[in-house]
Amino acid sequence: VRYQTVEYRIRKLLREIMETEGRLLKNGEIELPMRLPHRLVAQLCVTSRQSVTIHLLELKKQGILRYNRYHMVVRQPGVL
């Protein structure tokens, strides 16, 4: 059995939401139309909330994602 890393599962979840529900913004970014608390992402990715926070902060630091407690925007959809 092959297991995916937590980072892979989080990126995959965000890609799926982006592709099915995302709204393309004028600047090429994609806004995710729903609030995604870290706890919910953790449940969907079968990991801890702390791990989600660490990985989302890393994506934010890399400039791939921007978010606050109310919405999330994928700044570089091709990189996610």
Side-chain angles (χ1 to χ4, degrees):
V1 176
R2 183 175 171 195
Y3 296 97
Q4 276 92 25
T5 64
V6 171
E7 179 183 5
Y8 175 87
R9 293 193 310 261
I10 292 170
R11 284 176 176 252
K12 183 178 180 195
L13 173 67
L14 294 176
R15 273 194 310 270
E16 289 175 1
I17 295 170
M18 179 182 76
E19 291 169 0
T20 59
E21 305 293 328
R23 183 173 67 94
L24 183 62
L25 303 177
K26 289 181 183 180
N27 60 3
E29 297 177 343
I30 298 179
E31 181 179 36
L32 305 184
M34 59 195 71
R35 189 166 168 260
L36 286 172
H38 293 192
R39 184 177 311 258
L40 175 61
V41 174
Q43 290 171 346
L44 294 171
C45 293
V46 191
T47 190
S48 68
R49 185 208 46 84
Q50 293 86 347
S51 291
V52 169
T53 299
I54 289 167
H55 289 289
L56 289 180
L57 283 172
E58 184 59 32
L59 290 172
K60 191 176 190 178
K61 188 169 145 182
Q62 293 172 9
I64 297 169
L65 196 65
R66 68 180 166 90
Y67 64 90
N68 60 34
R69 67 185 315 152
Y70 303 107
H71 77 287
M72 189 174 286
V73 175
V74 180
R75 299 182 74 192
Q76 298 179 38
V79 177
L80 184 61

